[in-house]
PDB file of all heavy atoms in Angstrom:
ATOM      1  N   SER R 400      13.298 -11.161 -24.971  1.00  0.00           N
ATOM      2  CA  SER R 400      12.524 -10.499 -26.089  1.00  0.00           C
ATOM      3  C   SER R 400      11.770 -11.392 -26.988  1.00  0.00           C
ATOM      4  O   SER R 400      12.298 -12.453 -27.300  1.00  0.00           O
ATOM      5  CB  SER R 400      13.511  -9.646 -26.949  1.00  0.00           C
ATOM      6  OG  SER R 400      14.127  -8.499 -26.202  1.00  0.00           O
ATOM      7  N   ALA R 401      10.595 -11.034 -27.458  1.00  0.00           N
ATOM      8  CA  ALA R 401       9.836 -11.740 -28.546  1.00  0.00           C
ATOM      9  C   ALA R 401      10.562 -11.295 -29.764  1.00  0.00           C
ATOM     10  O   ALA R 401      10.768 -10.175 -30.174  1.00  0.00           O
ATOM     11  CB  ALA R 401       8.419 -11.331 -28.520  1.00  0.00           C
ATOM     12  N   MET R 402      10.829 -12.331 -30.762  1.00  0.00           N
ATOM     13  CA  MET R 402      11.531 -12.103 -32.024  1.00  0.00           C
ATOM     14  C   MET R 402      10.551 -11.761 -33.196  1.00  0.00           C
ATOM     15  O   MET R 402      10.958 -11.060 -34.079  1.00  0.00           O
ATOM     16  CB  MET R 402      12.405 -13.334 -32.354  1.00  0.00           C
ATOM     17  CG  MET R 402      13.396 -13.779 -31.386  1.00  0.00           C
ATOM     18  SD  MET R 402      14.316 -12.472 -30.662  1.00  0.00           S
ATOM     19  CE  MET R 402      15.491 -12.177 -32.091  1.00  0.00           C
ATOM     20  N   ASN R 403       9.405 -12.329 -33.100  1.00  0.00           N
ATOM     21  CA  ASN R 403       8.430 -12.042 -34.169  1.00  0.00           C
ATOM     22  C   ASN R 403       6.947 -12.395 -33.676  1.00  0.00           C
ATOM     23  O   ASN R 403       6.966 -12.922 -32.531  1.00  0.00           O
ATOM     24  CB  ASN R 403       8.740 -12.853 -35.482  1.00  0.00           C
ATOM     25  CG  ASN R 403       8.897 -14.228 -35.153  1.00  0.00           C
ATOM     26  OD1 ASN R 403       8.134 -14.944 -34.498  1.00  0.00           O
ATOM     27  ND2 ASN R 403      10.172 -14.847 -35.550  1.00  0.00           N
ATOM     28  N   ALA R 404       5.870 -12.145 -34.445  1.00  0.00           N
ATOM     29  CA  ALA R 404       4.528 -12.350 -34.090  1.00  0.00           C
ATOM     30  C   ALA R 404       4.319 -13.949 -33.606  1.00  0.00           C
ATOM     31  O   ALA R 404       3.564 -14.115 -32.566  1.00  0.00           O
ATOM     32  CB  ALA R 404       3.617 -11.975 -35.192  1.00  0.00           C
ATOM     33  N   THR R 405       4.877 -14.879 -34.234  1.00  0.00           N
ATOM     34  CA  THR R 405       4.749 -16.196 -33.916  1.00  0.00           C
ATOM     35  C   THR R 405       5.365 -16.510 -32.660  1.00  0.00           C
ATOM     36  O   THR R 405       4.800 -17.222 -31.636  1.00  0.00           O
ATOM     37  CB  THR R 405       5.285 -17.092 -34.965  1.00  0.00           C
ATOM     38  OG1 THR R 405       5.128 -16.604 -36.266  1.00  0.00           O
ATOM     39  CG2 THR R 405       4.492 -18.396 -35.066  1.00  0.00           C
ATOM     40  N   HIS R 406       6.587 -16.120 -32.447  1.00  0.00           N
ATOM     41  CA  HIS R 406       7.431 -16.314 -31.308  1.00  0.00           C
ATOM     42  C   HIS R 406       6.738 -15.723 -30.089  1.00  0.00           C
ATOM     43  O   HIS R 406       6.726 -16.298 -28.957  1.00  0.00           O
ATOM     44  CB  HIS R 406       8.753 -15.720 -31.565  1.00  0.00           C
ATOM     45  CG  HIS R 406       9.774 -15.917 -30.517  1.00  0.00           C
ATOM     46  ND1 HIS R 406      10.634 -14.967 -29.965  1.00  0.00           N
ATOM     47  CD2 HIS R 406      10.127 -17.183 -29.850  1.00  0.00           C
ATOM     48  CE1 HIS R 406      11.431 -15.540 -29.034  1.00  0.00           C
ATOM     49  NE2 HIS R 406      11.175 -16.851 -29.053  1.00  0.00           N
ATOM     50  N   LEU R 407       6.080 -14.544 -30.210  1.00  0.00           N
ATOM     51  CA  LEU R 407       5.514 -13.926 -29.213  1.00  0.00           C
ATOM     52  C   LEU R 407       4.377 -14.825 -28.616  1.00  0.00           C
ATOM     53  O   LEU R 407       4.198 -14.674 -27.378  1.00  0.00           O
ATOM     54  CB  LEU R 407       4.747 -12.532 -29.777  1.00  0.00           C
ATOM     55  CG  LEU R 407       3.822 -11.839 -28.762  1.00  0.00           C
ATOM     56  CD1 LEU R 407       4.569 -11.225 -27.584  1.00  0.00           C
ATOM     57  CD2 LEU R 407       3.134 -10.598 -29.612  1.00  0.00           C
ATOM     58  N   SER R 409       4.399 -17.941 -28.325  1.00  0.00           N
ATOM     59  CA  SER R 409       4.885 -19.299 -27.810  1.00  0.00           C
ATOM     60  C   SER R 409       5.958 -19.226 -26.784  1.00  0.00           C
ATOM     61  O   SER R 409       6.261 -20.142 -26.096  1.00  0.00           O
ATOM     62  CB  SER R 409       5.241 -20.178 -28.935  1.00  0.00           C
ATOM     63  OG  SER R 409       6.226 -19.616 -29.628  1.00  0.00           O
ATOM     64  N   PHE R 410       6.702 -18.089 -26.757  1.00  0.00           N
ATOM     65  CA  PHE R 410       7.925 -18.066 -25.926  1.00  0.00           C
ATOM     66  C   PHE R 410       7.593 -17.900 -24.433  1.00  0.00           C
ATOM     67  O   PHE R 410       6.459 -17.502 -24.066  1.00  0.00           O
ATOM     68  CB  PHE R 410       8.829 -17.106 -26.488  1.00  0.00           C
ATOM     69  CG  PHE R 410       8.617 -15.617 -25.828  1.00  0.00           C
ATOM     70  CD1 PHE R 410       9.678 -14.994 -25.323  1.00  0.00           C
ATOM     71  CD2 PHE R 410       7.423 -15.044 -26.070  1.00  0.00           C
ATOM     72  CE1 PHE R 410       9.388 -13.657 -24.881  1.00  0.00           C
ATOM     73  CE2 PHE R 410       7.079 -13.720 -25.516  1.00  0.00           C
ATOM     74  CZ  PHE R 410       8.229 -13.057 -24.992  1.00  0.00           C
TER      75      PHE R 410
HETATM   76  C1  NAG V 504      10.384 -16.140 -35.278  1.00  0.00           C
HETATM   77  O1  NAG V 504      11.425 -16.245 -34.305  1.00  0.00           O
HETATM   78  C2  NAG V 504      11.770 -17.566 -33.938  1.00  0.00           C
HETATM   79  C3  NAG V 504      12.752 -17.391 -32.757  1.00  0.00           C
HETATM   80  O2  NAG V 504      13.879 -16.561 -33.031  1.00  0.00           O
HETATM   81  C4  NAG V 504      12.497 -18.193 -35.122  1.00  0.00           C
HETATM   82  O3  NAG V 504      12.853 -19.634 -34.785  1.00  0.00           O
HETATM   83  C5  NAG V 504      11.460 -18.323 -36.304  1.00  0.00           C
HETATM   84  O4  NAG V 504      11.983 -18.904 -37.344  1.00  0.00           O
HETATM   85  C6  NAG V 504      10.891 -17.027 -36.601  1.00  0.00           C
HETATM   86  N1  NAG V 504       9.803 -17.038 -37.498  1.00  0.00           N
HETATM   87  C7  NAG V 504       9.606 -16.166 -38.551  1.00  0.00           C
HETATM   88  C8  NAG V 504       8.333 -16.388 -39.286  1.00  0.00           C
HETATM   89  O5  NAG V 504      10.438 -15.315 -38.759  1.00  0.00           O
END
Side-chain angles (χ1 to χ4, degrees):
S400 287
M402 305 311 288
N403 52 52
T405 332
H406 190 222
L407 173 62
S409 62
F410 83 129

